[in-house]
Amino acid sequence: MANKHLTKLNNTPETPEAPPEKPKKETRFRREKAAPAETGAPAAETLSRRDVRGALIALGAALLLFAACIIIWLNENRFNTDDLTLSVSTAAVAEEEYIFDAGSGQVFAAVGDGLAVATSTGLELLDGDGNTVVSTITPMDSPAIAACDSFAVFYDLGGTAITVVDLKGSIETISPAGTIISLTVSEGGYVTVATEYTGYRALVEVYDSSLELVYQWYSSSAWVMSGLVSPDGRQLAVLSYTSSGSEVRLFSLSQSEQQAAFSVSETILLDVHWFSSNRLCALSAEQVIYFDGNGEWQNTYDFNGQYLTGYAFGDGFLTLALSPYRAGTSSVLVSLDSSGREQGQAELQSGIIWLNASDSEVIVLVSDSAILYSSSMTEKGRLTGLTGFKYAMLRSKGEVLLAASNYAEVYIF
């Protein structure tokens, strides 16, 4: 699915200063022959090798003990022996820079380590090295992107244009049956498109990773919000709503009949996510509800009156950004596992620009910093001195890519 963003910045970023020249490495220890003593001068007292070695060992042990005390003191409020990480603040210095076109309605999505960019005038796909794979002029009123590790799907929300581009530069198109309501891409590369359809409330179509149409469902009684295929490519969850509330309908892609459903009354569900072939969750503005593939309720996590200002799914966990204020000027990050159990919290004193999760880590972009957390909300490091960025994505090898209006930069924590 496309990543969930929270705030868009329209300011033009300043070009970061060039990184300082790295000092030459110096040898810390060097053996030299002793200069011969001057005639008549008294011989200096010398220490034995055993005495020197003992002194060095004692000094090293003292330094290690002092460092351990400092670490524990700094982390006394969040010290966890199972997940110990010393957070380090580092002045941001870019490793690489990507260049792309700016434009109105700009949106981003991660494609593996590459970056997909869409605006009202066109689309671009850059690979993991920052090379432009595809750049085309494609007018869109409401540009949107959904992506997986190998390709990006560019579409016009409320329109009828769907373009699929992979990292090899191949371009294909999908012709939807009507106006696009929503579009998602699963982990396995299944594309699910919900469209308006004459005589029905909606039509849901599923395409496999080869873009072959493999499933259709016509909704006659419910308005469809979105659909998503399970990680194993066997099931389809369709999020819909009626006058009485929301419903997640569950289908097998090998059968035409509905298999199960999960319903809630007087609640509008905003999104649905598969954790596994038999475990799902759905989000509303007030809570997260967990249920299984048979439509049976499992757990509920309530926001207790706080506002949901953002969320991101990682590998087997969900990170929520909750705020006591509707504007989200301060937030608490909450991590929940696939059963809805809380794994940890972290407080932020500034509004979140972007929230992204991948594997077992979370990256949070705020006004002047990017903060890296583990899935249990232990801070692992932060980059400071950032300006103008509005999108963040985690990449392999401990990297993060930050994007502004017309360029993106890669940083290492």
Side-chain angles (χ1 to χ4, degrees):
M1 296 179 63
N3 291 318
K4 307 300 183 295
H5 64 279
L6 298 105
T7 306
K8 292 185 176 181
L9 295 182
N10 295 318
N11 57 307
T12 302
E14 298 178 357
T15 303
E17 296 180 359
E21 183 178 351
K22 295 182 179 179
K24 295 181 180 180
K25 295 183 179 179
E26 296 182 359
T27 304
R28 297 184 63 186
F29 298 98
R30 181 175 59 189
R31 291 184 179 179
E32 296 181 353
K33 293 182 179 180
E38 295 181 1
T39 305
E45 291 186 7
T46 59
L47 293 174
S48 69
R49 290 186 177 181
R50 181 177 300 176
D51 293 333
V52 172
R53 186 181 302 144
L56 289 175
I57 291 174
L59 177 60
L63 291 174
L64 287 174
L65 179 60
F66 177 75
C69 292
I70 291 296
I71 291 173
I72 294 174
W73 178 74
L74 290 173
N75 293 273
E76 60 182 358
N77 292 325
R78 57 183 178 85
F79 189 80
N80 183 347
T81 56
D82 296 326
D83 192 13
L84 175 60
T85 304
L86 177 60
S87 175
V88 179
S89 295
T90 306
V93 178
E95 300 290 324
E96 303 174 47
E97 185 175 76
Y98 296 8
I99 303 297
F100 45 81
D101 292 333
S104 62
Q106 190 176 56
V107 291
F108 303 92
V111 186
D113 279 350
L115 178 67
V117 186
T119 68
S120 60
T121 57
L123 58 90
E124 290 185 74
L125 179 61
L126 297 89
D127 64 18
D129 295 322
N131 301 312
T132 300
V133 177
V134 170
S135 179
T136 65
I137 298 175
T138 306
M140 291 180 282
D141 292 329
S142 300
I145 311 173
C148 61
D149 284 343
S150 55
F151 63 83
V153 181
F154 300 86
Y155 62 101
D156 194 2
L157 189 62
T160 58
I162 298 177
T163 304
V164 183
V165 183
D166 67 21
L167 288 171
K168 297 179 181 179
S170 174
I171 303 176
E172 298 189 48
T173 59
I174 296 176
S175 300
T179 301
I180 301 170
I181 299 171
S182 67
L183 187 151
T184 65
V185 178
S186 71
E187 295 177 14
Y190 282 80
V191 179
T192 303
V193 186
T195 65
E196 296 178 354
Y197 194 80
T198 303
Y200 293 86
R201 296 285 171 82
L203 168 61
V204 179
E205 295 182 313
V206 178
Y207 298 81
D208 63 15
S209 57
S210 300
L211 302 184
E212 295 292 330
L213 181 62
V214 296
Y215 197 80
Q216 289 181 310
W217 177 66
Y218 296 84
S219 176
S220 58
S221 60
W223 289 273
V224 172
M225 294 185 67
S226 65
L228 183 66
V229 173
S230 61
D232 61 9
R234 296 181 179 180
Q235 296 170 282
L236 169 68
V238 176
L239 175 58
S240 59
Y241 67 95
T242 65
S243 57
S244 60
S246 295
E247 184 175 54
V248 179
R249 302 189 181 205
L250 301 170
F251 302 85
S252 168
L253 294 185
S254 62
Q255 300 178 30
S256 59
E257 298 298 322
Q258 179 177 309
Q259 302 297 299
F262 176 78
S263 302
V264 289
S265 60
E266 300 180 356
T267 299
I268 299 298
L269 298 177
L270 306 174
D271 199 1
V272 63
H273 178 79
W274 290 91
F275 284 111
S276 66
S277 60
N278 197 45
R279 182 169 292 176
L280 305 91
C281 79
L283 289 89
S284 74
E286 298 84 24
Q287 58 191 6
V288 186
I289 306 173
Y290 293 78
F291 54 99
D292 63 21
N294 297 318
E296 298 294 329
W297 173 87
Q298 298 291 317
N299 198 5
T300 298
Y301 184 88
D302 194 88
F303 302 159
N304 295 318
Q306 296 189 90
Y307 294 98
L308 176 65
T309 58
Y311 61 98
F313 291 102
D315 185 7
F317 70 97
L318 164 64
T319 299
L320 304 168
L322 303 175
S323 175
Y325 311 106
R326 192 179 294 273
T329 52
S330 64
S331 301
V332 57
L333 297 176
V334 180
S335 176
L336 306 176
D337 67 14
S338 60
S339 299
R341 292 189 294 261
E342 188 173 307
Q343 299 185 116
Q345 292 190 7
E347 293 186 2
L348 292 173
Q349 299 304 315
S350 58
I352 298 174
I353 298 173
W354 198 276
L355 177 64
N356 176 255
S358 177
D359 296 331
S360 60
E361 293 181 323
V362 178
I363 187 72
V364 181
L365 179 63
V366 295
S367 60
D368 61 350
S369 303
I371 311 169
L372 183 67
Y373 294 95
S374 69
S375 59
S376 60
M377 291 293 100
T378 298
E379 185 175 323
K380 302 179 71 174
R382 66 173 65 200
L383 300 171
T384 60
L386 301 173
T387 58
F389 294 109
K390 55 184 179 178
Y391 174 82
M393 61 171 267
L394 289 164
R395 306 196 336 161
S396 59
K397 302 177 183 179
E399 300 173 342
V400 61
L401 184 145
L402 304 178
S405 296
N406 63 341
Y407 70 96
E409 294 177 336
V410 177
Y411 295 87
I412 299 176
F413 279 86

